């Protein structure tokens, strides 16, 4: 059971380039999330998904897109990279335990450090 | 809107001693949860403890316990018998419609 895996671990992009951050979980969790963590700050929610085919915006969605075609995968797409997107990106997943979206423990991946120059 | 404030950017404690990390929050939700997450140098986010707002009893997990004051919107974390492995960034988080994190407290446990 690998949990939540993210690739790549590190990436440097030039301004205007595009890339996809991959996230996969093998825990059969319905809910998945993408966060960004800027230096010295807490995590901010970019997008989340409550199941295959369903996605919704979080607190800071601008400049990003997501898709959820399977339960396991939740890729995050950056279309036109900007220096403001330099950050560490975390993917997380949770299983609905009846406490609702808000109460479930979220399991995090190891993060992707992205630098845009 | 939900906000979470951690007023202590850095703290240190001697091994085996007790330390308390502070957190205050604001929310308009009636039902919500509060969390403390730990982020060691490996960057992995690990759940330390969770509190359901409608439960008055403070949550405990081994050496970790919370002091939850709902009226004051305060949610502090107490770590007893601190260990070197407790050195990490600690994030307080509030979950109503979505999880909102504070800015973190860097805790260093000194030998």
């Amino acid at each position: 059971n690998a949990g939540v895996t993210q690739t790549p671990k590190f990436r440097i992009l030039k301004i205007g380039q595009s890339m996809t951050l991959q996230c996969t979980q093998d825990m059969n969790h319905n809910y998945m999330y993408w966060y960004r963590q800027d230096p010295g700050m807490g995590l901010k929610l970019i997008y989340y998904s409550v199941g295959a085919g369903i996605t919704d915006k979080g607190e800071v969605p601008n400049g990003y897109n997501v898709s959820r075609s399977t339960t396991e995968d939740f890729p995050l797409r950056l279309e036109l990279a900007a220096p403001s997107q330099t950050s560490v990106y975390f993917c997380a997943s949770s299983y609905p335990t009846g406490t609702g979206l808000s109460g479930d423990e979220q399991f995090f991946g190891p993060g992707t450090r992205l630098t845009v120059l | 809107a939900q906000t979470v404030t951690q007023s202590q950017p850095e703290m240190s404690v001697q091994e085996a001693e007790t330390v308390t990390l502070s957190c205050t929050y604001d929310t308009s939700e009636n039902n919500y949860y509060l969390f403390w997450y730990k982020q060691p140098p490996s960057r992995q986010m690990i759940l330390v403890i969770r509190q359901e707002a409608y439960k008055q009893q403070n949550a405990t997990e081994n050496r970790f316990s919370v002091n939850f004051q709902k009226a004051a919107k305060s949610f502090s974390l107490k770590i007893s018998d601190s260990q070197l492995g407790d050195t990490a960034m600690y994030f307080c988080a509030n979950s109503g419609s979505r999880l909102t994190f504070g800015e973190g407290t860097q805790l260093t446990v000194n030998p």
Side-chain angles (χ1 to χ4, degrees):
Chain A
N1 200 339
V4 180
T5 56
Q6 292 182 237
T7 57
K9 286 187 169 52
F10 303 93
R11 184 72 184 268
I12 298 174
L13 282 182
K14 293 182 180 179
I15 294 172
Q17 286 185 321
S18 301
M19 78 163 294
T20 299
L21 280 66
Q22 301 292 345
C23 175
T24 300
Q25 53 91 10
D26 62 359
M27 298 174 283
N28 202 30
H29 286 174
N30 294 66
Y31 300 159
M32 295 188 74
Y33 316 81
W34 273 106
Y35 294 91
R36 59 177 287 172
Q37 183 181 27
D38 297 331
M41 305 290 286
L43 280 68
K44 293 187 177 179
L45 183 64
I46 304 172
Y47 271 96
Y48 67 98
S49 169
V50 298
I54 306 170
T55 62
D56 209 347
K57 295 178 180 179
E59 185 181 358
V60 289
N62 291 342
Y64 307 94
N65 279 301
V66 295
S67 59
R68 185 95 182 273
S69 57
T70 67
T71 299
E72 296 78 19
D73 301 307
F74 190 41
L76 177 72
R77 178 83 178 162
L78 283 71
E79 290 294 346
L80 291 170
S84 61
Q85 293 178 305
T86 293
S87 191
V88 179
Y89 291 84
F90 288 95
C91 179
S93 70
S94 67
Y95 186 80
T97 59
T99 58
L101 183 68
S102 62
D104 301 321
E105 176 184 358
Q106 294 186 20
F107 295 83
F108 286 81
T112 295
R113 182 178 295 277
L114 175 68
T115 302
V116 182
L117 300 174
Chain B
Q2 294 175 183
T3 60
V4 177
T5 303
Q6 294 179 248
S7 59
Q8 305 152 315
E10 297 180 357
M11 293 193 72
S12 63
V13 64
Q14 292 300 121
E15 197 174 6
E17 293 187 345
T18 295
V19 64
T20 298
L21 308 183
S22 301
C23 173
T24 58
Y25 64 93
D26 195 12
T27 181
S28 58
E29 305 277 348
N30 290 323
N31 295 320
Y32 57 91
Y33 295 78
L34 295 160
F35 304 82
W36 279 98
Y37 277 88
K38 169 185 177 180
Q39 187 179 42
S42 67
R43 273 198 335 232
Q44 186 73 47
M45 293 287 287
I46 303 164
L47 178 65
V48 174
I49 199 163
R50 173 175 55 187
Q51 174 79 42
E52 299 170 75
Y54 62 87
K55 287 189 175 179
Q56 292 188 346
Q57 186 173 5
N58 289 325
T60 62
E61 287 287 342
N62 300 314
R63 299 182 295 107
F64 300 87
S65 62
V66 299
N67 183 4
F68 174 46
Q69 302 290 327
K70 190 172 183 179
K73 294 184 177 176
S74 170
F75 184 61
S76 60
L77 175 70
K78 185 172 83 170
I79 305 174
S80 304
D81 186 25
S82 297
Q83 300 176 0
L84 296 178
D86 295 334
T87 292
M89 183 74 84
Y90 286 81
F91 291 99
C92 178
N94 174 23
S95 182
S97 55
R98 64 172 65 122
L99 200 58
T100 301
F101 287 84
E103 296 185 356
T105 296
Q106 175 63 49
L107 176 67
T108 301
V109 180
N110 299 308

